[in-house]
Each structure stands twice: as C-alpha cells, then as structure tokens.
Amino acid sequence: MATTTTRTSFLLLFLASLFSLSVPSSSSSTDSFLFGGCTEQRYAPDSPYEFNLNSLLTSLVNSATYSSYNNFTILGSSPQDVVYGLYQCRGDLSMPDCATCVARAVSQVGGLCAQTCGGALQLQGCYVKYDNTSFLGVEDKSVVLKKCGPSVGYEPEAMGRRDAVMAGLANAGGPYRVGGSGEVQGVAQCVGDLSLDECQDCVSEAIGRLKNDCGTADFGDMFLGKCYARYSTGKGHLALKDHGDKLSNDGEKTFAIIIGLLAGVALLIIFLTFIRKMFGEHGK
C-alpha cells in the first residue's frame, strides 16, 4: 500500500505539471514567481498526512476551475493528520487563467516544499498555502516580501498621482482593488478568508508601509501575510489584465484539459481510498 501512495503523490505532481505545460505562458503577470517558503516540520513518506495533503492539493486545483478563491480542511483519523489550505487568484484573472495559475503554483510548491508539513507560494497571478496548523481566518500583517524599484527622484506630478492612486485603493471597498491615473497603476488584494474590517486594516497597513519604505521608487510591492499593495509609475510592472479581453482559444482548451484530467484524479483518489479501507479491514 505504501508503494501505491507514493505513486499517487508523484502522479498528482505530474498532473499539476502537465496542466501548467499544456499551453505557453500567456503573460508574465500570471506565471512569474514572486516568493515561496516552507515550514521546518516534515512528514513521513507514505503517511496519512501525505495522503491528506495530496487530497488537499487536488482540491485546490479542482476548485480553481470554477472559483477564484477557496479554502479546505482535510480531516484525518488523528489531529496530526489534519491539513489546512487555500488558494487565491488575482481578481482580474479569467477562470481558465486562474485554474492554470493555481495548477502551476501547486506544481512548484510541491517541488519547493517536498515532505514539509507546510508551504506557501506566490506567483504574479495566484497564491497557494497549506499547513498542519490552522491559519484560516487569522489576520497576518507580517511583511513577507518588499520590493522597491529604482528611485526616479521626486517628480511632483508622478508622485502626486501615485499618492492619489494609493489613497483611492485605501478608501475602496472589497477584497480586490485596482486604480490608475495616467501611467500610474495600483492594485491591492486581501486573502479571501479575512473579514471586510480585517481586509481594510491589512490593506491600510500595506499601503502605509509601501509609501514609507519605497519613497520615490518608480514601482513598489508590499506583500503582507494576508494582503498586498502594489504600484507602478510606468508601464509593464503590474501588467493588469483588461476585463474586456476575450478568452483565447488556447485558454479555453487548457480549461477543458484541466477539467478532464481532474476528473481522472478524483476517480483515482476514490479508488485508492477504497483500496486502503479494504486492506485495513483485512488487516484487523
């Protein structure tokens, strides 16, 4: 049975990789790696935790075909086997782009955090995280990534527009916020498990840190544990998608491939669960 579980783990990572390679990258705004990290605690190969983690990662990829955010808790026979996880796509992504991004993120975090109990990975277009300790619904304003572009000196017009865009993001409602003035673009987003008040608190903190730390930089990124704020005073850094863009044929084909393969993975997991129960009953 251990060999079967190990093969399942490899198969899940292979399928996630297959999703990510099914079409060429459509835009660096979706696929580029921003940051990733893993917990120190590790799990044993072929353990119940590994089986539950594979189920969780499959659920994340599956859910991303129809929702831009979701979280899951996979229960185990004992408390140490419980796995918590979530994913979130950038608010302007289409569902095919969201599904492809999450599949890529799951594939990459599986390689980055092999056999660790927790991991998180942020691509330009989406975010995934899992752990054996619940973090769902918990506000986190710790700095995860700060990146400031080169200083352009104080240009009153550009900095005035930047500050106006940031103020607009701070005052806007909802978990995903975008604004612009001329070539200045700004975007902010909270993870979907925060309340509206927690989201507002997190975004305000991110914007305040961004303006203070990046000063007169031509772009800035501030990623906190549960939200981020970003701006660019020129074209290219954020490359947000136009909500009016039509889905490409390649994107629709990728979407169909993901749906078909996920159906196969779901059947495989059900079959392996049945086999495990059968072997368990015979072993009693």
Side-chain angles (χ1 to χ4, degrees), residues 50-215:
E50 180 181 43
F51 186 84
N52 288 344
L53 176 57
N54 287 335
S55 297
L56 172 77
L57 296 178
T58 302
S59 296
L60 299 184
V61 176
N62 178 41
S63 180
T65 62
Y66 59 83
S67 177
S68 60
Y69 163 80
N70 213 339
N71 69 73
F72 296 90
T73 300
I74 307 298
L75 300 176
S77 56
S78 60
Q80 61 264 30
D81 297 330
V82 179
V83 190
Y84 308 90
L86 62 76
Y87 73 90
Q88 176 158 289
C89 291
R90 205 175 65 205
D92 60 333
L93 294 192
S94 66
M95 291 318 308
D97 286 343
C98 176
T100 302
C101 185
V102 171
R104 287 192 174 102
V106 166
S107 175
Q108 291 185 38
V109 78
L112 179 68
C113 300
Q115 293 187 358
T116 63
C117 292
L121 188 135
Q122 176 79 57
L123 299 181
Q124 286 277 7
C126 62
Y127 174 70
V128 297
K129 181 175 180 177
Y130 65 88
D131 207 337
N132 61 346
T133 301
S134 180
F135 56 90
L136 302 176
V138 178
E139 190 174 7
D140 181 1
K141 294 187 288 183
S142 59
V143 177
V144 180
L145 174 69
K146 179 186 75 174
K147 186 176 182 181
C148 303
S151 175
V152 294
Y154 186 76
E155 296 183 3
E157 183 177 357
M159 290 299 101
R161 287 184 175 182
R162 189 277 309 267
D163 291 346
V165 169
M166 291 291 97
L169 295 180
N171 294 326
Y176 179 70
R177 313 171 185 193
V178 62
S181 176
E183 290 191 348
V184 178
Q185 287 186 310
V187 61
Q189 187 170 17
C190 297
V191 177
D193 62 334
L194 295 186
S195 69
L196 291 178
D197 288 342
E198 290 170 336
C199 176
Q200 183 61 41
D201 186 41
C202 191
V203 168
S204 296
E205 178 77 11
I207 289 174
R209 287 178 176 268
L210 188 60
K211 292 175 62 178
N212 182 67
D213 292 359
C214 290

